[in-house]
Amino acid sequence: MNTARPAAAAPTAAVRAPAASPAKPAAGETAAAKSPSRTKLIAVVAVAAVLAAVALVGLVARPGPIAGWFGDDPATPAPVATTPDPAPTPVLVAAAGQGDAPNEAAVKEALDPLVNSSALGSTVHVSVLDVSSAQVLYAKNADIPTTPASTTKLLTAVTALAARGPAYRLATRVVAGEKPGEVVIIGGGDPTLAINAKGQFPGAARLDKLAAQVKKAMGDTPITRVTVDISLFSGSDTAVGWDSSDISPNGQVARIQALMTNAGRITPVHNETGGDPRFTDPAMAAGRAFANQLGVASEKVRKGTAPAAAGDTASASASAPASAPATGEITAGQELGKVESPPLVQVLDWMLQQSDNTIAETMGRQVALAAGDEASFDGTAEAMINKLRELGLNGDEADLYDASGLSRHNGISPSLLVQTLALAAGGTKPELSAMFNGLPVAGWSGTLRTRFATPSPNQAAQGVVRAKTGTLSGVNTLAGVLVTKDGRVLAFAIMASATSDSSTAKAALDKVAARLVACGCS
């Protein structure tokens, strides 16, 4: 039986300016590049807004990768503008009760014709909430779970931040094996791990640096074998409800294992359309790449588990791996090296911007691990729902089979999504507000980079809507936050699960959000 949903606290925090995406938008969300002048203009506005927010509410935006913000990446093709530059509206606005509150009747009058559009099909679930007052402004099937697609990642981001905190880092370790010359690489669930400097994600931990540590720690002892330990994760490496075409090697997600490089990709490049080719066994591929760095033949790589003593040195510094004892003897379980991922908040930024399914699944595992639960699909789903309840949200309105939204068995209500967004924007849980930095911004970044372009009224929302998209065959969703022309921050979720044409459905979703921006409806 569902419990009553608590009201969101009065918001005092801010929605922050977006971090630069490390690569192209998510597959299936075609994105044309913006002109350098447009990028410079909006980037300057975003930076100015960050400074304004610091003065207003005392939040300091963290530094992040900015390559390509000013068109200075020599590897980036010459960009072509697809729409006229919108009037530069700051994308960072304090979530406070400024401006006139929207009127429920006026919002209904504005949205009903758009929500009932044939482009959205026969089954539409909608919720719109005024973040400051926690007043529900519009609801249609709002409390009924429906297929969320990638808007599931909103719950993944919030629960991961709540469970681990924004600064948490994922460690990949190497210890000495039982046999002389054997080293064991222990997967720590870091999907962004790179082989070398040419990784998919800026600032990622690297296997070549890990190998250098191991060689130094081993000294004169020759390295003859590499064992791959992926025991951190358990259960099936694919979820119930995933279509076989979605899974590697040519789909939208890799098999979920505790060790992989570049989120399982064979080549560290994110394609704008279609799938990214991925290894059929990401862990063994990473193990062989590590062996290559050590000068060990690929046939000397196998799966196994680290010696039990390995846990005794889990806190060793990555910059100072354990050295051999004075006798020169290497003991089983002795830590030989460790590298760590960028902070969790940055990994989540990439997950949201690119809608990376593999990152989402590994981030969901962190919720389970933090709770002491089994790091499997079932354990992750249970841990995420329990964490939502701990946050005062109605976990009964979520039925999860994965953390990415690829499973068609998932069900989430729009009410739960907007309540989650309102909580993150409200200021009572400042660690949760970090999620907004990764949400795509309309007409500028991530999976919204080319959205809100047509028809022309939709362009009013460019720069002022930040939201997570969701797309499966016949399913189109959009959930996020926006600022009305009167300065009110609204959380919204629009979920259509019986669409016939994805392009027209996306435009119809954009119309709803753009109408909320332009209406004010006070």
Side-chain angles (χ1 to χ4, degrees), residues 167-174 186-194 201-207 209-211 213 313-320 335 337-344 346-347 350:
Y168 188 80
R169 294 174 186 262
L170 306 163
T172 303
R173 303 173 52 241
V174 177
I186 305 172
D190 177 10
T192 67
L193 184 67
F201 305 100
R206 291 163 47 178
L207 289 179
K209 292 186 175 182
L210 182 60
Q213 293 179 29
T313 56
S315 61
S317 168
S319 60
E335 184 170 282
K338 181 175 77 170
V339 291
E340 294 183 324
S341 72
L344 185 78
Q346 192 168 350
V347 178
W350 296 329

Side-chain angles (χ1 to χ4, degrees), residues 32-332:
K34 298 293 180 184
S35 67
S37 61
R38 175 189 173 108
T39 303
K40 291 179 183 178
L41 177 63
I42 301 181
V44 169
V45 172
V47 171
V50 169
L51 297 178
V54 170
L56 185 62
V57 297
L59 288 179
V60 179
R62 70 184 188 289
I66 60 172
W69 269 34
F70 300 102
D72 56 355
D73 183 357
T76 303
V80 179
T82 57
T83 62
D85 286 355
T89 304
V91 296
L92 180 68
V93 180
Q98 59 191 36
D100 295 328
N103 177 275
E104 187 174 348
V107 172
K108 179 176 174 59
E109 182 179 359
L111 295 193
D112 268 349
L114 303 179
V115 169
N116 294 325
S117 166
S118 60
L120 293 179
S122 58
T123 309
V124 185
H125 298 65
V126 185
S127 181
V128 179
L129 181 77
D130 179 55
V131 172
S132 176
S133 66
Q135 179 188 3
V136 176
L137 301 173
Y138 189 91
K140 179 176 182 179
N141 300 320
D143 297 325
I144 303 172
T146 187
T147 307
S150 280
T151 54
T152 303
K153 295 181 177 73
L154 293 172
L155 302 188
T156 304
V158 164
T159 54
L161 286 168
R164 289 299 200 191
Y168 188 80
R169 294 174 186 262
L170 306 163
T172 303
R173 303 173 52 241
V174 177
V175 302
E178 296 283 0
K179 299 177 181 178
E182 178 189 16
V183 298
V184 184
I185 182 169
I186 305 172
D190 177 10
T192 67
L193 184 67
I195 296 173
N196 49 37
K198 297 181 180 180
Q200 169 76 22
F201 305 100
R206 291 163 47 178
L207 289 179
D208 58 349
K209 292 186 175 182
L210 182 60
Q213 293 179 29
V214 172
K215 288 178 181 178
K216 182 178 179 180
M218 290 289 283
D220 295 333
T221 302
I223 304 171
T224 58
R225 181 181 298 276
V226 172
T227 297
V228 177
D229 185 340
I230 56 172
S231 59
L232 183 67
F233 294 172
S234 57
S236 173
D237 54 15
T238 62
V240 173
W242 284 5
D243 191 286
S244 59
S245 63
D246 290 331
I247 306 169
S248 57
N250 296 313
Q252 300 289 339
V253 67
R255 294 181 179 275
I256 307 306
Q257 299 173 333
L259 180 68
M260 62 177 66
T261 56
N262 302 306
R265 293 173 175 83
I266 296 173
T267 303
V269 174
H270 177 64
N271 295 312
E272 292 181 358
T273 58
D276 296 333
R278 303 177 196 251
F279 293 107
T280 55
D281 191 336
M284 282 299 290
R288 293 187 183 105
F290 182 59
N292 182 61
Q293 298 286 344
L294 295 172
V296 176
S298 294
E299 59 267 22
K300 296 296 184 179
V301 180
R302 65 179 181 86
K303 289 181 181 177
T305 56
D312 295 341
T313 56
S315 61
S317 168
S319 60
S323 301
T327 61
E329 180 184 357
I330 302 294
T331 59

Side-chain angles (χ1 to χ4, degrees), residues 487-514:
R488 300 290 288 200
V489 178
L490 307 183
F492 68 92
I494 318 153
M495 310 169 78
S497 57
T499 59
S500 57
D501 182 86
S502 181
S503 296
T504 57
K506 290 175 183 177
L509 292 173
D510 295 351
K511 284 182 182 179
V512 177

Side-chain angles (χ1 to χ4, degrees), residues 1-19:
M1 182 174 65
N2 292 351
T3 57
R5 185 181 302 102
T12 57
V15 176
R16 303 186 305 168

